[in-house]
Amino acid sequence: MKFDEKVLNLINYLKGKKICLVSHVHPDGDAAGSVIGFYLFLKNMKYPVRAFLKDGVPYQYAFLYGAEFIERNLDVSKSDVCVLLDASEFSRTGFDMPDLPIIRIDHHKTGERYSDYDIVVTDAPATVSLILSLVKVWDESHIDERVARALYTGLLTDTVSFIHANSFPWAFSDALYLSQKAQIDDIGSLVYERKRKSFYLLLMRALERLTFDFNDKLAYTFIKNEDFAETGATSEDTDGIVRHVISIDGVEVGINFIEYEKGVWKVSARGKGRIDLALLCLEFGGGGHRNAAGCTIEGSLEKVIKDFKRAFEKWVGSL
Ligand code: AMP
Ligand code: MN
Ligand code: MN
């Protein structure tokens, strides 16, 4: 089925329904932006809608109007359907799967199919771009300034300020459209120039531990569970650290191993195109995109790094 037809089908299905929106744990700008943007649009349409993020809206995105309406405890008792945004699997929400039809709107290349109405477009710059396509067709008059600012935030952050290859030309045409709907020129500064001191304390530790391997093509660092208490940082402060690792000239894959829970390491992987990191992370039950992916590995740091490197070795031929 063509994209436009899928969008129409989904709109017809959602019409008149009580909708619940969810996205992934440790939400990024796309998770927060797509949930908030779609929520505000549906509210403008007078729909009964609720939106849930297990970890709440991170402080970087709390400036968005609508962040205050996002709930942390999933309650689907008053919903007919649950729309899973920017997540490959429902388990990524951190919530138990509800007994409701699930519809996935996403751009990750790995993941589950939940219904005939799913819209999964891997070359979309961000999930917010899929939401924008949908709301434009549904009722463009309800895309107000607040909706546009939330969607733009997801677009800006998921394209890493429009430097990712998936930015052209779709992301630029969305940015143009959204800039005509709202004042957006303050958003970059609000997101990127308000880092907390605890972010830098964490970053300093991460940079000190930077390690190179495979002829400096792989670079990695780690954040231990106790680093959070010792620096006063929270999970929100890890956002952006892996960018420093992949930004090194010559490094093809950059990793941050983050121990959010003792003995449970979140692997945050970034690449420059040579290796499909979504497939690499899939080996550990994770997934994502070619150049940005993640998974979870349990055990001591030494074991986790060893496990990861063993999987990485199989791909070295592509470097
Ligand atoms: P992160 O490094 O946490 O920013 O994640 C990079 C990309 O991979 C994002 O698009 C995530 O949604 C995706 N991702 C991260 N962890 C997982 C996982 N365990 N399973 C599937 N996708 C993931
Ligand atoms: Mn995301
Ligand atoms: Mn995304």
Side-chain angles (χ1 to χ4, degrees):
M1 204 189 294
K2 285 224 185 79
F3 178 65
D4 295 357
E5 264 176 82
K6 280 188 153 204
V7 167
L8 271 177
N9 257 359
L10 176 56
I11 292 169
N12 285 330
Y13 174 78
L14 290 177
K15 269 187 187 158
K17 293 213 166 52
K18 299 192 222 46
I19 299 166
C20 138
L21 306 176
V22 284
S23 187
H24 59 80
V25 287
H26 304 302
D28 48 24
D30 196 24
S34 53
V35 166
I36 295 173
F38 200 16
Y39 173 90
L40 294 174
F41 171 83
L42 290 166
K43 275 276 167 204
N44 287 346
M45 302 247 297
K46 307 276 184 277
Y47 266 68
V49 53
R50 288 177 77 177
F52 304 90
L53 290 171
K54 179 94 192 276
D55 295 325
V57 177
Y59 83 92
Q60 294 95 322
Y61 312 114
F63 69 89
L64 286 172
Y65 177 85
E68 61 275 32
F69 304 132
I70 310 305
E71 304 174 65
R72 296 183 65 157
N73 297 310
L74 185 65
D75 170 11
V76 297
S77 57
K78 294 194 179 72
S79 303
D80 302 319
V81 56
C82 197
V83 183
L84 174 66
L85 295 164
D86 193 46
S88 46
E89 279 122 35
F90 198 88
S91 62
R92 295 265 298 132
T93 63
F95 297 125
D96 290 336
M97 182 105 135
D99 188 16
L100 276 187
I102 309 280
I103 292 169
R104 176 178 162 217
I105 304 181
D106 187 24
H107 66 135
H108 290 97
K109 63 181 290 178
T110 55
E112 290 280 330
R113 183 187 150 87
Y114 288 96
S115 78
D116 290 345
Y117 300 101
D118 286 8
I119 295 187
V120 178
V121 182
T122 53
D123 59 356
T127 299
V128 292
S129 294
L130 300 171
I131 298 299
L132 181 59
S133 303
L134 185 98
V135 297
K136 268 178 170 173
V137 176
W138 198 333
D139 189 340
E140 207 173 2
S141 70
H142 289 299
I143 307 175
D144 64 8
E145 173 151 12
R146 290 161 170 180
V147 172
R149 282 173 66 82
L151 298 183
Y152 181 77
T153 299
L155 184 65
L156 178 74
T157 52
D158 244 34
T159 58
V160 195
S161 309
F162 302 96
I163 67 171
H164 268 196
N166 64 356
S167 306
F168 325 105
W170 188 344
F172 289 116
S173 78
D174 283 357
L176 176 63
Y177 179 88
L178 293 169
S179 72
Q180 288 160 343
K181 286 278 177 193
Q183 191 214 332
I184 52 163
D185 54 359
D186 57 332
I187 291 180
S189 177
L190 284 166
V191 171
Y192 293 117
E193 295 179 337
R194 289 190 309 139
K195 298 266 189 237
R196 304 190 287 208
K197 181 178 166 190
S198 49
F199 165 82
Y200 283 97
L201 295 177
L202 215 52
L203 178 64
M204 277 159 63
R205 290 184 180 211
L207 293 181
E208 246 170 27
R209 296 167 183 162
L210 204 53
T211 307
F212 295 85
D213 209 331
F214 297 95
N215 280 327
D216 295 351
K217 296 261 198 289
L218 172 70
Y220 61 87
T221 188
F222 57 90
I223 290 165
K224 292 183 289 184
N225 189 257
E226 49 266 36
D227 291 326
F228 290 104
E230 286 169 17
T231 59
T234 67
S235 65
E236 297 155 72
D237 293 304
T238 62
D239 194 27
I241 289 183
V242 73
R243 287 295 318 156
H244 290 270
V245 184
I246 191 58
S247 297
I248 303 164
D249 187 26
V251 167
E252 292 296 336
V253 175
I255 309 289
N256 191 7
F257 297 96
I258 311 167
E259 192 185 20
Y260 286 122
E261 259 177 78
K262 204 93 190 111
V264 183
W265 296 83
K266 166 75 213 290
V267 181
S268 193
R270 297 292 183 273
K272 289 183 180 144
R274 299 245 176 116
I275 289 180
D276 191 332
L277 295 175
L279 293 185
L280 175 57
C281 287
L282 197 57
E283 286 191 36
F284 297 99
H289 312 283
R290 185 180 181 89
N291 288 332
C295 60
T296 300
I297 311 179
E298 293 190 19
S300 68
L301 176 64
E302 294 67 32
K303 175 201 166 277
V304 168
I305 292 176
K306 214 166 116 200
D307 286 356
F308 185 84
K309 279 203 212 163
R310 196 177 307 129
F312 183 81
E313 251 168 13
K314 290 182 231 153
W315 296 81
V316 165
S318 322
L319 286 176

